[in-house]
Amino acid sequence: MTDRPATPSRFTPVGSPPVGGAAPGLPADGSGLGLPAGGAAPGLPADGFGLDRDRPVDGPGPLGETRGRGLVPEVERIAVLRANALGDFIFILPALDALRAAYPGAEIVLLGAPWHAKLLRDRPGPVDRVAVVPPAPGIRAAEPGEAEGRLAAFLTAARTERFDLALQLHGGGANSNPVVSGLGARVTAGLRAEDAPPLDRWVRYVYYQHEVLRYLEVVTLVGAPATTIVPRLAVTDTDRAEARAVLGEPGRPRVALHPGATDTRRRWPVERFAEVARELATAGYEVLVTGTPSERAVVDRLVTLAEAPVRPLVGTLGLGGLAACYAECALVVSNDTGPLHLAAAVGTATVGVYWVGNLINSGSLVRDRHRPIVSWTVHCPVCGVDCTRGLYPHRDGSGECPHRDSFVADVPAAEVLEAAHELLT
């Protein structure tokens, strides 16, 4: 590897006085919006019963009560199905907050995966408990050593809980709507794609919609208007103790980079991450590089390419410890993947590298502490197929492409560094 010429750092050295920040008198997280409280529309029944199961509910949603979307009376227990990945869970947090505000006395039970049960145990927030839903097609994959085929028994047991509301916040509904209907709740509500069976109250699933707003729209079906659009996850003393046991006390401000992503098309080239790591380390920050065990190779390569002191963290922290790690960082730079959204949910500034389609669905809705850097690539870098065509059958081309090369490789390091500089100074 050739030597690099010395270049001035874009970053104010650690210890220099800060400039800028949030506007005086306004919260840094973008919350505190003047959103309306719940309740049925005047002159309409509070329970909204009598709706045609085969038609979506009318009304503008998602931030206020609308016709036919009143509170359900006498609700004591609410089931919410969301059994997929970390980022997916972060996106429903505002919807769970809305449910908690609308039904303050009800027990909210998340039908999730084993990792949800571990993460949410004794954690403050809108979820009272987690019921682990068995692995099933379209619901969740089995973990190593976990048996399949137990869904029928799970639903039989769940019906004894006598849920008043059951909400499908999982996806389009082809697989998940039958599960929610099988809970035996008084009222069901959720999303419905064209190939999915209906629920009592439903809104059409359309792929391109921001995930936070998608699920906020669903909960308005049961009279729960939004209280925030910003996901928030509490960090506990147990989380902090776990992080400190691994990391120790910070000797200087920390930043974290996360170069992995399950979908390789979302991965920014590791060489660009290395440029960012080098400049942050030169500016005096302690640079952490986080990754899952399956991402060890990309983390190790970043560490090698950085040619600067960086600290790898692969498989050494649970999700709670990772949340605390990020909460103590000044900045997290990441691909569009679960850890990026976790960092934002614990209040840390983020720079995220996004493909344009994913930005529509999952980019931060606020900009005070978050900067999405966008690739506008829509053609496969290998075969040139327009990969947006799969969603638009009336347009030319099939959109089918077997390649998994990065769709964000065109994003220059300079754009990420400029955004990082702005957030750190």
Side-chain angles (χ1 to χ4, degrees):
M1 181 174 294
T2 58
D3 293 335
R4 290 179 168 272
T7 56
S9 172
R10 294 180 179 81
F11 294 92
T12 303
V14 171
S16 298
V19 296
L26 293 179
D29 63 1
S31 60
L33 301 176
L35 300 174
L44 293 176
D47 62 4
F49 292 155
L51 299 174
D52 186 344
R53 284 174 175 263
D54 294 321
R55 294 184 60 82
V57 180
D58 295 332
L63 297 182
E65 70 277 11
T66 57
R67 185 172 72 82
R69 300 185 180 190
L71 287 166
V72 177
E74 300 179 4
V75 169
E76 296 181 359
R77 187 167 291 120
I78 302 171
V80 177
L81 177 62
R82 184 69 161 172
N84 24 33
L86 174 61
D88 302 310
F89 172 69
I90 297 297
F91 296 143
I92 71 163
L93 286 171
L96 293 172
D97 288 335
L99 285 173
R100 170 56 65 221
Y103 298 94
E107 181 187 32
I108 297 178
V109 181
L110 178 69
L111 308 186
W115 74 263
H116 290 102
K118 186 175 181 180
L119 177 67
L120 298 179
R121 186 179 299 118
D122 300 324
R123 187 174 303 277
V127 175
D128 294 298
R129 63 184 169 96
V130 175
V132 176
V133 64
I139 303 300
R140 70 174 184 88
E143 297 190 350
E146 189 177 20
E148 297 190 23
R150 297 180 289 113
L151 185 59
F154 172 84
L155 291 175
T156 297
R159 285 191 287 272
T160 67
E161 299 237 28
R162 302 181 67 84
F163 288 107
D164 300 292
L165 293 180
L167 300 179
Q168 191 274 98
L169 304 186
H170 191 77
N175 297 290
S176 50
N177 284 1
V179 172
V180 168
S181 295
L183 295 170
R186 286 197 289 126
V187 177
T188 61
L191 295 158
R192 184 189 182 191
E194 292 184 0
D195 62 347
L199 299 169
D200 295 329
R201 306 179 184 186
W202 57 273
V203 65
R204 178 65 72 197
Y205 178 90
V206 178
Y207 182 79
Y208 279 124
Q209 179 180 12
H210 196 282
E211 295 292 301
V212 168
L213 300 182
R214 188 192 307 280
Y215 299 109
L216 282 172
E217 190 171 4
V218 170
V219 297
T220 63
L221 296 173
V222 294
T227 59
T228 182
I229 60 171
V230 178
R232 282 287 174 258
L233 184 73
V235 177
T236 68
D237 290 341
T238 300
D239 299 334
R240 296 184 185 94
E242 180 187 353
R244 291 292 172 89
V246 172
L247 295 169
E249 296 290 337
R252 57 190 188 276
R254 287 172 172 154
V255 297
L257 311 184
H258 190 89
T262 303
D263 187 341
T264 55
R265 294 171 298 179
R266 299 186 185 194
R267 288 190 181 183
W268 196 42
V270 67
E271 294 81 4
R272 312 276 171 79
F273 272 108
E275 289 184 54
V276 173
R278 186 180 307 114
E279 187 147 346
L280 289 168
T282 300
Y285 292 91
E286 181 182 2
V287 180
L288 311 177
V289 184
T290 59
T292 65
S294 66
E295 295 165 345
R296 183 179 297 276
V298 70
V299 170
D300 289 346
R301 180 160 171 74
L302 193 161
V303 171
T304 299
L305 293 174
E307 299 181 320
V310 298
R311 186 174 181 179
L313 292 172
V314 178
T316 55
L317 292 169
L319 280 178
L322 185 65
C325 167
Y326 287 157
E328 293 188 349
C329 288
L331 178 72
V332 171
V333 180
S334 174
N335 296 311
D336 170 27
T337 187
L340 174 69
H341 308 299
L342 176 65
V346 299
T348 300
T350 66
V351 177
V353 179
Y354 287 86
W355 177 65
V356 59
N358 298 136
L359 176 70
I360 295 170
N361 282 30
S362 61
S364 174
L365 289 167
V366 294
R367 293 292 176 270
D368 180 68
R369 291 171 57 75
H370 306 292
R371 298 291 186 275
I373 310 299
V374 187
S375 170
W376 297 89
T377 298
V378 296
H379 293 87
C380 171
V382 177
C383 65
V385 164
D386 184 343
C387 290
T388 66
R389 290 296 189 255
L391 290 173
Y392 302 106
H394 300 294
R395 303 183 190 183
D396 294 336
S398 67
E400 296 297 327
C401 170
H403 302 110
R404 290 296 180 265
D405 293 61
S406 174
F407 267 62
V408 296
D410 61 320
V411 171
E415 292 182 9
V416 171
L417 287 165
E418 287 172 0
H421 171 69
E422 182 181 11
L423 291 169
L424 287 169
T425 55

